[in-house]
Amino acid sequence: MFCRLALLFSLLLIPATNGFAQIPMGEASSAKEGLDIGVSTNEIAIASDFRGADLTVFGAMTNPDELLLAIGSYDIIVTLEGPRDYATVRKKERIFGVWVNTDSMIFEQVPESYSIASTRQLDDPTQLPPINTAGVGIEHLALNPIGYIRDVGELSDFREAYRRLKLAGGLYQKEASGVRFVSSSLFRASLRLPANVPDGVHIVRAYLFKSGTLLTQREIPLRVVKTGLEQAITDTAHNQPFAYGLLCVLIALVTGWGASIVFRKD
Amino acid sequence: MFCFALSGSTVTIYLPIAELSVNIFIILGMGAAVGFLSGMFGVGGGFLITPLLIFYNIPPVVAVATGANQVVASSVSGAITHFRRGTLDMKLGTVLLVGGLVGATVGVWIFSWLRSIGQLDLFISLLYVVLLTTIGLLMLQESLRAMRKAKLNQPLPLKRPGQHNWVHRLPLKMRFKKSRIYLSAIPVVTLGFLIGILTSIMGVGGGFIMVPAMIYLLRIPTNVVVGTSLFQIIFVTAYTTMVQAATNYSVDIVLAFILMVAGVIGAQYGVRVGQKLRGEQLRALLALLVLAVGIRLAVGLFIRPQDLYSVAVGGIGY
């Protein structure tokens, strides 16, 4: 932790001197802009009272062009991607008055959760830099269906439904202007992990854009783990299902038998 | 044992298998209320617990498997009482159990298959609606008739348990000493089989179907029916819990434990209240309750869902 902070401060100092030296040289700067990030914690624990958590990502831009920095040509986007898995989207239709799942689509390896923070409003089309090519942001996540798709219009409906449901469920979040510059090149992003965040390895990614083109990106893993009893229960249920089932039955037998002793009338 | 989060007036607890936080008092209340009713009416309560859990947004997969686990606890104390009184036919129970175990295995296959094609939630609701409304209506009709008869001081026309019907002409007859009955094993195993399927798909013990079927169809003497069905229910629900835990990983031990403890305590008070009420009034009340749950589930099937789309994690082999 201390090392990382020290690194951050040194990074903060370097670009300032470099940038100053570069201004007279204009556009033809040889040094490339870079990015470095650090996270407030690299492990989030889910205990029985878990109600979500906040994650702070610190970062510094190296070798920024002071002129472009001043007119706001740089954009920083920070994302937190959950573990990837297949996702099945189902659609209901009315059959004899009853709502039945009729159609479904499976998307391959999409993040189970996704939070995004950026230096400016991502929703505003007038301000939106052309970042879509980089696949950053909820609207630009790759949603590739598995199998044969009959209707392209249907595909976009399912994709739209997937994003809408994930946003409504709180697993996908966008924090417009969640990235703030603390100094000219040092920034801070806050991301929210919902209460139902999946456990596993999440990835913090920071992207640096110059006038809408991706310059560089950095990533740091973040582990989300269930702790204590929750962890033990989930592990046992998945790794030793028979022992777990037996334990469930035993607890039930003891509870029922105990009650018949405690409340015995004679 | 568990860590509770005290914040404001709500106390939440994280359910590790259902993977969501719930208000512990709501779960305790649910368990106690269903326990109270099950004690009052002498039923297992699985058919109330599972729909209630689904109403409270517990995923149906978890609600069904956990419901079966909870029924184990509520049946054990009842079966022990009947065993002490000698109103439990072990042999009859074992024959029922053979069918029950096979049925529960088939039921879990059906359950996993329905889950993989995305029709599980609908199927559970449909099955509940059909069974609860049918049984609710039959019970209501029967209890109203009994109440009318009681008012007119007419003696009830008792159906003689000794009377024979087509069931008693089937081969493979066995003698059940405790029940004082000579009966073919075929209908007994079949009944156990059907109840076993219901146990694994609906998370119920099935007593509310098994008891009437044993009395009216198999003509088994009433005094051994409840104890014997409870004996069978313990083993079938215990087996279902194991199989659900092994195939669907969907038994939530924390949720089940809270429900069990609240349930067995609630049941004790229910029994006391039940003894003060008249039989036919009690049955009419239970019929109304069963109907209400059935209708509430039916409404859910017919009203347009808020979102026509739904998302589930996983895809292949899920």
Side-chain angles (χ1 to χ4, degrees), chain A residues 48-49 86 88-90 92 94 97 99 101 164 229 237 244 246 263, chain B residues 2-3 5 14 118-119 242 251 253 268 302-303 307-310 312 314:
Chain A
S48 58
D49 58 346
Y86 291 90
T88 308
V89 180
R90 295 197 171 91
K92 281 194 174 68
R94 189 167 237 167
W99 291 93
N101 283 330
R164 183 182 65 235
L229 196 66
Y244 177 82
L246 203 62
F263 297 103
Chain B
F2 303 111
C3 305
Y14 182 79
Q119 303 297 356
M242 296 279 299
V251 182
I253 200 167
Q268 301 303 322
F302 289 103
I303 55 168
D307 201 319
L308 294 182
Y309 291 88
S310 59

PDB file of all heavy atoms in Angstrom, chain A residues 48-49 86 88-90 92 94 97 99 101 164 229 237 244 246 263, chain B residues 2-3 5 14 118-119 242 251 253 268 302-303 307-310 312 314:
ATOM      1  N   SER A  48     -22.142 -11.581   6.116  1.00  0.00           N
ATOM      2  CA  SER A  48     -23.596 -11.732   6.167  1.00  0.00           C
ATOM      3  C   SER A  48     -24.323 -10.391   6.134  1.00  0.00           C
ATOM      4  O   SER A  48     -25.483 -10.335   5.785  1.00  0.00           O
ATOM      5  CB  SER A  48     -23.999 -12.512   7.406  1.00  0.00           C
ATOM      6  OG  SER A  48     -23.534 -11.846   8.540  1.00  0.00           O
ATOM      7  N   ASP A  49     -23.609  -9.305   6.496  1.00  0.00           N
ATOM      8  CA  ASP A  49     -24.270  -8.002   6.508  1.00  0.00           C
ATOM      9  C   ASP A  49     -23.908  -7.160   5.289  1.00  0.00           C
ATOM     10  O   ASP A  49     -24.080  -5.953   5.295  1.00  0.00           O
ATOM     11  CB  ASP A  49     -23.904  -7.245   7.798  1.00  0.00           C
ATOM     12  CG  ASP A  49     -22.409  -7.064   7.941  1.00  0.00           C
ATOM     13  OD1 ASP A  49     -21.649  -7.734   7.200  1.00  0.00           O
ATOM     14  OD2 ASP A  49     -21.987  -6.250   8.780  1.00  0.00           O
ATOM     15  N   TYR A  86     -21.731 -17.125 -19.387  1.00  0.00           N
ATOM     16  CA  TYR A  86     -22.780 -17.059 -20.391  1.00  0.00           C
ATOM     17  C   TYR A  86     -24.017 -16.447 -19.738  1.00  0.00           C
ATOM     18  O   TYR A  86     -24.211 -16.561 -18.533  1.00  0.00           O
ATOM     19  CB  TYR A  86     -23.115 -18.460 -20.907  1.00  0.00           C
ATOM     20  CG  TYR A  86     -22.014 -19.066 -21.731  1.00  0.00           C
ATOM     21  CD1 TYR A  86     -21.014 -19.822 -21.127  1.00  0.00           C
ATOM     22  CD2 TYR A  86     -21.969 -18.864 -23.101  1.00  0.00           C
ATOM     23  CE1 TYR A  86     -19.993 -20.361 -21.885  1.00  0.00           C
ATOM     24  CE2 TYR A  86     -20.945 -19.400 -23.855  1.00  0.00           C
ATOM     25  CZ  TYR A  86     -19.959 -20.152 -23.251  1.00  0.00           C
ATOM     26  OH  TYR A  86     -18.958 -20.675 -23.987  1.00  0.00           O
ATOM     27  N   THR A  88     -28.299 -16.076 -20.348  1.00  0.00           N
ATOM     28  CA  THR A  88     -29.468 -16.458 -21.142  1.00  0.00           C
ATOM     29  C   THR A  88     -30.551 -15.407 -20.966  1.00  0.00           C
ATOM     30  O   THR A  88     -30.921 -15.085 -19.833  1.00  0.00           O
ATOM     31  CB  THR A  88     -29.998 -17.838 -20.701  1.00  0.00           C
ATOM     32  OG1 THR A  88     -28.912 -18.761 -20.707  1.00  0.00           O
ATOM     33  CG2 THR A  88     -31.080 -18.329 -21.639  1.00  0.00           C
ATOM     34  N   VAL A  89     -31.020 -14.852 -22.067  1.00  0.00           N
ATOM     35  CA  VAL A  89     -32.122 -13.891 -22.019  1.00  0.00           C
ATOM     36  C   VAL A  89     -33.346 -14.598 -22.585  1.00  0.00           C
ATOM     37  O   VAL A  89     -33.277 -15.218 -23.644  1.00  0.00           O
ATOM     38  CB  VAL A  89     -31.807 -12.624 -22.840  1.00  0.00           C
ATOM     39  CG1 VAL A  89     -32.961 -11.639 -22.771  1.00  0.00           C
ATOM     40  CG2 VAL A  89     -30.531 -11.981 -22.341  1.00  0.00           C
ATOM     41  N   ARG A  90     -34.446 -14.520 -21.828  1.00  0.00           N
ATOM     42  CA  ARG A  90     -35.664 -15.177 -22.278  1.00  0.00           C
ATOM     43  C   ARG A  90     -36.773 -14.158 -22.472  1.00  0.00           C
ATOM     44  O   ARG A  90     -36.829 -13.147 -21.778  1.00  0.00           O
ATOM     45  CB  ARG A  90     -36.110 -16.232 -21.257  1.00  0.00           C
ATOM     46  CG  ARG A  90     -35.137 -17.370 -21.136  1.00  0.00           C
ATOM     47  CD  ARG A  90     -35.765 -18.576 -20.471  1.00  0.00           C
ATOM     48  NE  ARG A  90     -34.876 -19.712 -20.566  1.00  0.00           N
ATOM     49  CZ  ARG A  90     -33.969 -20.005 -19.627  1.00  0.00           C
ATOM     50  NH1 ARG A  90     -33.855 -19.254 -18.559  1.00  0.00           N
ATOM     51  NH2 ARG A  90     -33.189 -21.057 -19.776  1.00  0.00           N
ATOM     52  N   LYS A  92     -40.997 -13.570 -22.826  1.00  0.00           N
ATOM     53  CA  LYS A  92     -42.313 -14.168 -22.553  1.00  0.00           C
ATOM     54  C   LYS A  92     -43.318 -13.741 -23.611  1.00  0.00           C
ATOM     55  O   LYS A  92     -43.276 -12.628 -24.116  1.00  0.00           O
ATOM     56  CB  LYS A  92     -42.812 -13.707 -21.185  1.00  0.00           C
ATOM     57  CG  LYS A  92     -42.192 -14.433 -20.032  1.00  0.00           C
ATOM     58  CD  LYS A  92     -42.992 -14.152 -18.770  1.00  0.00           C
ATOM     59  CE  LYS A  92     -42.500 -14.983 -17.608  1.00  0.00           C
ATOM     60  NZ  LYS A  92     -41.159 -14.590 -17.166  1.00  0.00           N
ATOM     61  N   ARG A  94     -47.731 -14.343 -24.562  1.00  0.00           N
ATOM     62  CA  ARG A  94     -48.983 -14.823 -23.996  1.00  0.00           C
ATOM     63  C   ARG A  94     -49.495 -16.021 -24.793  1.00  0.00           C
ATOM     64  O   ARG A  94     -49.678 -15.929 -26.001  1.00  0.00           O
ATOM     65  CB  ARG A  94     -50.000 -13.688 -24.031  1.00  0.00           C
ATOM     66  CG  ARG A  94     -51.268 -14.002 -23.281  1.00  0.00           C
ATOM     67  CD  ARG A  94     -52.080 -12.758 -23.073  1.00  0.00           C
ATOM     68  NE  ARG A  94     -52.320 -12.575 -21.660  1.00  0.00           N
ATOM     69  CZ  ARG A  94     -52.775 -11.462 -21.140  1.00  0.00           C
ATOM     70  NH1 ARG A  94     -52.984 -10.410 -21.889  1.00  0.00           N
ATOM     71  NH2 ARG A  94     -53.003 -11.384 -19.841  1.00  0.00           N
ATOM     72  N   GLY A  97     -53.601 -16.994 -22.635  1.00  0.00           N
ATOM     73  CA  GLY A  97     -53.760 -16.091 -21.493  1.00  0.00           C
ATOM     74  C   GLY A  97     -52.632 -16.148 -20.482  1.00  0.00           C
ATOM     75  O   GLY A  97     -52.509 -15.290 -19.635  1.00  0.00           O
ATOM     76  N   TRP A  99     -48.592 -16.146 -19.427  1.00  0.00           N
ATOM     77  CA  TRP A  99     -47.318 -15.640 -19.939  1.00  0.00           C
ATOM     78  C   TRP A  99     -46.252 -16.720 -19.848  1.00  0.00           C
ATOM     79  O   TRP A  99     -45.909 -17.170 -18.769  1.00  0.00           O
ATOM     80  CB  TRP A  99     -46.896 -14.384 -19.178  1.00  0.00           C
ATOM     81  CG  TRP A  99     -47.805 -13.247 -19.508  1.00  0.00           C
ATOM     82  CD1 TRP A  99     -48.919 -12.863 -18.835  1.00  0.00           C
ATOM     83  CD2 TRP A  99     -47.711 -12.372 -20.640  1.00  0.00           C
ATOM     84  NE1 TRP A  99     -49.529 -11.816 -19.467  1.00  0.00           N
ATOM     85  CE2 TRP A  99     -48.807 -11.495 -20.578  1.00  0.00           C
ATOM     86  CE3 TRP A  99     -46.806 -12.261 -21.715  1.00  0.00           C
ATOM     87  CZ2 TRP A  99     -49.022 -10.502 -21.537  1.00  0.00           C
ATOM     88  CZ3 TRP A  99     -47.031 -11.271 -22.655  1.00  0.00           C
ATOM     89  CH2 TRP A  99     -48.109 -10.403 -22.572  1.00  0.00           C
ATOM     90  N   ASN A 101     -42.371 -18.299 -21.229  1.00  0.00           N
ATOM     91  CA  ASN A 101     -41.089 -18.057 -21.899  1.00  0.00           C
ATOM     92  C   ASN A 101     -41.109 -18.800 -23.223  1.00  0.00           C
ATOM     93  O   ASN A 101     -41.229 -20.025 -23.248  1.00  0.00           O
ATOM     94  CB  ASN A 101     -39.932 -18.612 -21.063  1.00  0.00           C
ATOM     95  CG  ASN A 101     -39.598 -17.721 -19.905  1.00  0.00           C
ATOM     96  OD1 ASN A 101     -39.767 -16.504 -19.973  1.00  0.00           O
ATOM     97  ND2 ASN A 101     -39.104 -18.302 -18.838  1.00  0.00           N
ATOM     98  N   ARG A 164     -30.948  -3.389 -20.329  1.00  0.00           N
ATOM     99  CA  ARG A 164     -31.974  -2.754 -19.500  1.00  0.00           C
ATOM    100  C   ARG A 164     -32.146  -3.515 -18.185  1.00  0.00           C
ATOM    101  O   ARG A 164     -32.179  -2.928 -17.110  1.00  0.00           O
ATOM    102  CB  ARG A 164     -33.297  -2.716 -20.275  1.00  0.00           C
ATOM    103  CG  ARG A 164     -34.415  -2.014 -19.537  1.00  0.00           C
ATOM    104  CD  ARG A 164     -35.720  -2.049 -20.309  1.00  0.00           C
ATOM    105  NE  ARG A 164     -36.228  -3.399 -20.465  1.00  0.00           N
ATOM    106  CZ  ARG A 164     -36.515  -3.950 -21.629  1.00  0.00           C
ATOM    107  NH1 ARG A 164     -36.359  -3.269 -22.747  1.00  0.00           N
ATOM    108  NH2 ARG A 164     -36.980  -5.185 -21.689  1.00  0.00           N
ATOM    109  N   LEU A 229     -18.751 -17.642   7.459  1.00  0.00           N
ATOM    110  CA  LEU A 229     -19.734 -18.701   7.336  1.00  0.00           C
ATOM    111  C   LEU A 229     -20.291 -18.793   5.919  1.00  0.00           C
ATOM    112  O   LEU A 229     -20.478 -19.885   5.389  1.00  0.00           O
ATOM    113  CB  LEU A 229     -20.853 -18.434   8.332  1.00  0.00           C
ATOM    114  CG  LEU A 229     -21.747 -19.619   8.603  1.00  0.00           C
ATOM    115  CD1 LEU A 229     -20.996 -20.716   9.287  1.00  0.00           C
ATOM    116  CD2 LEU A 229     -22.926 -19.182   9.439  1.00  0.00           C
ATOM    117  N   ALA A 237     -21.448 -26.415  -0.271  1.00  0.00           N
ATOM    118  CA  ALA A 237     -22.591 -26.739  -1.134  1.00  0.00           C
ATOM    119  C   ALA A 237     -22.136 -27.114  -2.534  1.00  0.00           C
ATOM    120  O   ALA A 237     -22.742 -27.962  -3.179  1.00  0.00           O
ATOM    121  CB  ALA A 237     -23.559 -25.559  -1.182  1.00  0.00           C
ATOM    122  N   TYR A 244     -23.063 -31.764   2.226  1.00  0.00           N
ATOM    123  CA  TYR A 244     -23.891 -30.592   2.505  1.00  0.00           C
ATOM    124  C   TYR A 244     -25.363 -30.987   2.639  1.00  0.00           C
ATOM    125  O   TYR A 244     -26.034 -30.591   3.588  1.00  0.00           O
ATOM    126  CB  TYR A 244     -23.707 -29.566   1.383  1.00  0.00           C
ATOM    127  CG  TYR A 244     -24.557 -28.332   1.511  1.00  0.00           C
ATOM    128  CD1 TYR A 244     -24.179 -27.281   2.339  1.00  0.00           C
ATOM    129  CD2 TYR A 244     -25.752 -28.206   0.803  1.00  0.00           C
ATOM    130  CE1 TYR A 244     -24.961 -26.152   2.450  1.00  0.00           C
ATOM    131  CE2 TYR A 244     -26.540 -27.084   0.897  1.00  0.00           C
ATOM    132  CZ  TYR A 244     -26.136 -26.051   1.726  1.00  0.00           C
ATOM    133  OH  TYR A 244     -26.914 -24.929   1.832  1.00  0.00           O
ATOM    134  N   LEU A 246     -26.515 -33.899   3.364  1.00  0.00           N
ATOM    135  CA  LEU A 246     -26.655 -34.711   4.565  1.00  0.00           C
ATOM    136  C   LEU A 246     -26.742 -33.822   5.811  1.00  0.00           C
ATOM    137  O   LEU A 246     -27.558 -34.042   6.699  1.00  0.00           O
ATOM    138  CB  LEU A 246     -25.440 -35.643   4.677  1.00  0.00           C
ATOM    139  CG  LEU A 246     -25.615 -36.903   5.501  1.00  0.00           C
ATOM    140  CD1 LEU A 246     -26.677 -37.789   4.886  1.00  0.00           C
ATOM    141  CD2 LEU A 246     -24.297 -37.662   5.598  1.00  0.00           C
ATOM    142  N   PHE A 263     -41.243 -29.761  23.654  1.00  0.00           N
ATOM    143  CA  PHE A 263     -42.661 -29.469  23.822  1.00  0.00           C
ATOM    144  C   PHE A 263     -43.477 -30.705  24.208  1.00  0.00           C
ATOM    145  O   PHE A 263     -44.687 -30.730  24.050  1.00  0.00           O
ATOM    146  CB  PHE A 263     -43.228 -28.855  22.545  1.00  0.00           C
ATOM    147  CG  PHE A 263     -42.608 -27.540  22.200  1.00  0.00           C
ATOM    148  CD1 PHE A 263     -41.660 -27.435  21.198  1.00  0.00           C
ATOM    149  CD2 PHE A 263     -42.963 -26.389  22.900  1.00  0.00           C
ATOM    150  CE1 PHE A 263     -41.084 -26.222  20.884  1.00  0.00           C
ATOM    151  CE2 PHE A 263     -42.384 -25.172  22.592  1.00  0.00           C
ATOM    152  CZ  PHE A 263     -41.442 -25.085  21.582  1.00  0.00           C
TER     153      PHE A 263
ATOM    154  N   PHE B   2     -25.078 -16.680  13.480  1.00  0.00           N
ATOM    155  CA  PHE B   2     -24.981 -15.837  12.301  1.00  0.00           C
ATOM    156  C   PHE B   2     -24.800 -14.383  12.713  1.00  0.00           C
ATOM    157  O   PHE B   2     -25.220 -13.962  13.780  1.00  0.00           O
ATOM    158  CB  PHE B   2     -26.246 -15.954  11.449  1.00  0.00           C
ATOM    159  CG  PHE B   2     -26.531 -17.360  11.034  1.00  0.00           C
ATOM    160  CD1 PHE B   2     -27.606 -18.039  11.546  1.00  0.00           C
ATOM    161  CD2 PHE B   2     -25.680 -18.009  10.146  1.00  0.00           C
ATOM    162  CE1 PHE B   2     -27.854 -19.347  11.174  1.00  0.00           C
ATOM    163  CE2 PHE B   2     -25.916 -19.309   9.776  1.00  0.00           C
ATOM    164  CZ  PHE B   2     -27.004 -19.976  10.293  1.00  0.00           C
ATOM    165  N   CYS B   3     -24.132 -13.651  11.843  1.00  0.00           N
ATOM    166  CA  CYS B   3     -23.922 -12.240  12.133  1.00  0.00           C
ATOM    167  C   CYS B   3     -25.096 -11.451  11.551  1.00  0.00           C
ATOM    168  O   CYS B   3     -25.432 -11.597  10.387  1.00  0.00           O
ATOM    169  CB  CYS B   3     -22.631 -11.755  11.503  1.00  0.00           C
ATOM    170  SG  CYS B   3     -21.246 -12.750  12.000  1.00  0.00           S
ATOM    171  N   ALA B   5     -26.902  -7.739  10.755  1.00  0.00           N
ATOM    172  CA  ALA B   5     -26.558  -6.336  10.548  1.00  0.00           C
ATOM    173  C   ALA B   5     -27.692  -5.491  11.105  1.00  0.00           C
ATOM    174  O   ALA B   5     -28.805  -5.538  10.621  1.00  0.00           O
ATOM    175  CB  ALA B   5     -26.397  -6.077   9.068  1.00  0.00           C
ATOM    176  N   TYR B  14     -27.773 -12.416   5.072  1.00  0.00           N
ATOM    177  CA  TYR B  14     -27.426 -12.803   3.708  1.00  0.00           C
ATOM    178  C   TYR B  14     -27.626 -14.305   3.539  1.00  0.00           C
ATOM    179  O   TYR B  14     -27.108 -15.090   4.321  1.00  0.00           O
ATOM    180  CB  TYR B  14     -25.976 -12.413   3.420  1.00  0.00           C
ATOM    181  CG  TYR B  14     -25.527 -12.720   2.011  1.00  0.00           C
ATOM    182  CD1 TYR B  14     -25.874 -11.882   0.960  1.00  0.00           C
ATOM    183  CD2 TYR B  14     -24.777 -13.852   1.733  1.00  0.00           C
ATOM    184  CE1 TYR B  14     -25.477 -12.156  -0.331  1.00  0.00           C
ATOM    185  CE2 TYR B  14     -24.372 -14.140   0.433  1.00  0.00           C
ATOM    186  CZ  TYR B  14     -24.723 -13.290  -0.592  1.00  0.00           C
ATOM    187  OH  TYR B  14     -24.337 -13.572  -1.870  1.00  0.00           O
ATOM    188  N   GLY B 118     -35.947 -23.345 -19.327  1.00  0.00           N
ATOM    189  CA  GLY B 118     -36.514 -22.061 -18.903  1.00  0.00           C
ATOM    190  C   GLY B 118     -37.987 -22.091 -18.567  1.00  0.00           C
ATOM    191  O   GLY B 118     -38.630 -21.059 -18.541  1.00  0.00           O
ATOM    192  N   GLN B 119     -38.542 -23.274 -18.332  1.00  0.00           N
ATOM    193  CA  GLN B 119     -39.974 -23.340 -18.038  1.00  0.00           C
ATOM    194  C   GLN B 119     -40.260 -23.735 -16.592  1.00  0.00           C
ATOM    195  O   GLN B 119     -41.411 -23.977 -16.245  1.00  0.00           O
ATOM    196  CB  GLN B 119     -40.665 -24.349 -18.977  1.00  0.00           C
ATOM    197  CG  GLN B 119     -40.488 -24.069 -20.440  1.00  0.00           C
ATOM    198  CD  GLN B 119     -41.100 -22.748 -20.885  1.00  0.00           C
ATOM    199  OE1 GLN B 119     -41.741 -22.056 -20.102  1.00  0.00           O
ATOM    200  NE2 GLN B 119     -40.887 -22.374 -22.127  1.00  0.00           N
ATOM    201  N   MET B 242     -31.320 -34.122  -0.354  1.00  0.00           N
ATOM    202  CA  MET B 242     -29.994 -34.609  -0.751  1.00  0.00           C
ATOM    203  C   MET B 242     -29.799 -34.485  -2.257  1.00  0.00           C
ATOM    204  O   MET B 242     -28.772 -34.000  -2.726  1.00  0.00           O
ATOM    205  CB  MET B 242     -29.832 -36.086  -0.380  1.00  0.00           C
ATOM    206  CG  MET B 242     -29.858 -36.393   1.089  1.00  0.00           C
ATOM    207  SD  MET B 242     -28.284 -36.077   1.870  1.00  0.00           S
ATOM    208  CE  MET B 242     -27.237 -37.219   0.984  1.00  0.00           C
ATOM    209  N   VAL B 251     -30.239 -25.932  -2.090  1.00  0.00           N
ATOM    210  CA  VAL B 251     -30.771 -25.947  -0.733  1.00  0.00           C
ATOM    211  C   VAL B 251     -30.042 -24.877   0.076  1.00  0.00           C
ATOM    212  O   VAL B 251     -28.830 -24.924   0.205  1.00  0.00           O
ATOM    213  CB  VAL B 251     -30.572 -27.325  -0.069  1.00  0.00           C
ATOM    214  CG1 VAL B 251     -31.182 -27.334   1.318  1.00  0.00           C
ATOM    215  CG2 VAL B 251     -31.164 -28.431  -0.912  1.00  0.00           C
ATOM    216  N   ILE B 253     -29.189 -23.572   3.459  1.00  0.00           N
ATOM    217  CA  ILE B 253     -29.220 -24.083   4.827  1.00  0.00           C
ATOM    218  C   ILE B 253     -29.600 -22.990   5.829  1.00  0.00           C
ATOM    219  O   ILE B 253     -30.295 -23.254   6.807  1.00  0.00           O
ATOM    220  CB  ILE B 253     -27.856 -24.739   5.160  1.00  0.00           C
ATOM    221  CG1 ILE B 253     -27.988 -25.692   6.351  1.00  0.00           C
ATOM    222  CG2 ILE B 253     -26.785 -23.715   5.394  1.00  0.00           C
ATOM    223  CD1 ILE B 253     -26.769 -26.589   6.532  1.00  0.00           C
ATOM    224  N   GLN B 268     -46.412 -25.624  17.718  1.00  0.00           N
ATOM    225  CA  GLN B 268     -46.882 -25.963  19.067  1.00  0.00           C
ATOM    226  C   GLN B 268     -48.097 -25.117  19.464  1.00  0.00           C
ATOM    227  O   GLN B 268     -49.041 -25.616  20.052  1.00  0.00           O
ATOM    228  CB  GLN B 268     -45.767 -25.750  20.091  1.00  0.00           C
ATOM    229  CG  GLN B 268     -44.533 -26.568  19.826  1.00  0.00           C
ATOM    230  CD  GLN B 268     -44.817 -28.052  19.766  1.00  0.00           C
ATOM    231  OE1 GLN B 268     -45.625 -28.568  20.524  1.00  0.00           O
ATOM    232  NE2 GLN B 268     -44.170 -28.736  18.829  1.00  0.00           N
ATOM    233  N   PHE B 302     -51.475 -14.729 -15.131  1.00  0.00           N
ATOM    234  CA  PHE B 302     -52.266 -14.092 -16.178  1.00  0.00           C
ATOM    235  C   PHE B 302     -51.972 -12.611 -16.363  1.00  0.00           C
ATOM    236  O   PHE B 302     -52.208 -12.087 -17.443  1.00  0.00           O
ATOM    237  CB  PHE B 302     -53.769 -14.309 -15.900  1.00  0.00           C
ATOM    238  CG  PHE B 302     -54.187 -15.723 -16.133  1.00  0.00           C
ATOM    239  CD1 PHE B 302     -54.392 -16.588 -15.074  1.00  0.00           C
ATOM    240  CD2 PHE B 302     -54.339 -16.206 -17.427  1.00  0.00           C
ATOM    241  CE1 PHE B 302     -54.753 -17.908 -15.291  1.00  0.00           C
ATOM    242  CE2 PHE B 302     -54.699 -17.530 -17.654  1.00  0.00           C
ATOM    243  CZ  PHE B 302     -54.913 -18.378 -16.587  1.00  0.00           C
ATOM    244  N   ILE B 303     -51.495 -11.927 -15.309  1.00  0.00           N
ATOM    245  CA  ILE B 303     -51.224 -10.502 -15.518  1.00  0.00           C
ATOM    246  C   ILE B 303     -49.932 -10.340 -16.299  1.00  0.00           C
ATOM    247  O   ILE B 303     -49.007 -11.136 -16.176  1.00  0.00           O
ATOM    248  CB  ILE B 303     -51.182  -9.673 -14.198  1.00  0.00           C
ATOM    249  CG1 ILE B 303     -50.182 -10.267 -13.207  1.00  0.00           C
ATOM    250  CG2 ILE B 303     -52.550  -9.538 -13.586  1.00  0.00           C
ATOM    251  CD1 ILE B 303     -49.889  -9.366 -12.054  1.00  0.00           C
ATOM    252  N   ASP B 307     -41.702  -6.799 -17.167  1.00  0.00           N
ATOM    253  CA  ASP B 307     -40.783  -6.877 -18.286  1.00  0.00           C
ATOM    254  C   ASP B 307     -40.966  -8.250 -18.924  1.00  0.00           C
ATOM    255  O   ASP B 307     -40.997  -9.250 -18.227  1.00  0.00           O
ATOM    256  CB  ASP B 307     -39.335  -6.710 -17.799  1.00  0.00           C
ATOM    257  CG  ASP B 307     -38.423  -6.285 -18.938  1.00  0.00           C
ATOM    258  OD1 ASP B 307     -38.576  -6.815 -20.051  1.00  0.00           O
ATOM    259  OD2 ASP B 307     -37.565  -5.424 -18.701  1.00  0.00           O
ATOM    260  N   LEU B 308     -41.127  -8.253 -20.234  1.00  0.00           N
ATOM    261  CA  LEU B 308     -41.346  -9.526 -20.913  1.00  0.00           C
ATOM    262  C   LEU B 308     -40.063 -10.337 -20.998  1.00  0.00           C
ATOM    263  O   LEU B 308     -40.079 -11.530 -21.249  1.00  0.00           O
ATOM    264  CB  LEU B 308     -41.888  -9.286 -22.322  1.00  0.00           C
ATOM    265  CG  LEU B 308     -43.274  -8.655 -22.392  1.00  0.00           C
ATOM    266  CD1 LEU B 308     -43.717  -8.507 -23.833  1.00  0.00           C
ATOM    267  CD2 LEU B 308     -44.281  -9.492 -21.627  1.00  0.00           C
ATOM    268  N   TYR B 309     -38.935  -9.661 -20.796  1.00  0.00           N
ATOM    269  CA  TYR B 309     -37.647 -10.350 -20.895  1.00  0.00           C
ATOM    270  C   TYR B 309     -37.136 -10.695 -19.499  1.00  0.00           C
ATOM    271  O   TYR B 309     -37.480 -10.034 -18.518  1.00  0.00           O
ATOM    272  CB  TYR B 309     -36.622  -9.455 -21.592  1.00  0.00           C
ATOM    273  CG  TYR B 309     -36.903  -9.232 -23.059  1.00  0.00           C
ATOM    274  CD1 TYR B 309     -37.716  -8.190 -23.478  1.00  0.00           C
ATOM    275  CD2 TYR B 309     -36.349 -10.065 -24.020  1.00  0.00           C
ATOM    276  CE1 TYR B 309     -37.978  -7.978 -24.823  1.00  0.00           C
ATOM    277  CE2 TYR B 309     -36.596  -9.866 -25.357  1.00  0.00           C
ATOM    278  CZ  TYR B 309     -37.408  -8.813 -25.768  1.00  0.00           C
ATOM    279  OH  TYR B 309     -37.657  -8.615 -27.088  1.00  0.00           O
ATOM    280  N   SER B 310     -36.305 -11.717 -19.417  1.00  0.00           N
ATOM    281  CA  SER B 310     -35.642 -12.033 -18.158  1.00  0.00           C
ATOM    282  C   SER B 310     -34.238 -12.532 -18.464  1.00  0.00           C
ATOM    283  O   SER B 310     -33.979 -13.063 -19.543  1.00  0.00           O
ATOM    284  CB  SER B 310     -36.435 -13.084 -17.386  1.00  0.00           C
ATOM    285  OG  SER B 310     -36.566 -14.245 -18.161  1.00  0.00           O
ATOM    286  N   ALA B 312     -30.856 -14.808 -17.082  1.00  0.00           N
ATOM    287  CA  ALA B 312     -30.319 -15.796 -16.147  1.00  0.00           C
ATOM    288  C   ALA B 312     -28.840 -15.974 -16.442  1.00  0.00           C
ATOM    289  O   ALA B 312     -28.422 -15.945 -17.602  1.00  0.00           O
ATOM    290  CB  ALA B 312     -31.046 -17.128 -16.310  1.00  0.00           C
ATOM    291  N   GLY B 314     -25.516 -18.012 -16.953  1.00  0.00           N
ATOM    292  CA  GLY B 314     -25.256 -19.364 -17.442  1.00  0.00           C
ATOM    293  C   GLY B 314     -25.970 -19.581 -18.761  1.00  0.00           C
ATOM    294  O   GLY B 314     -26.895 -18.851 -19.115  1.00  0.00           O
TER     295      GLY B 314
END
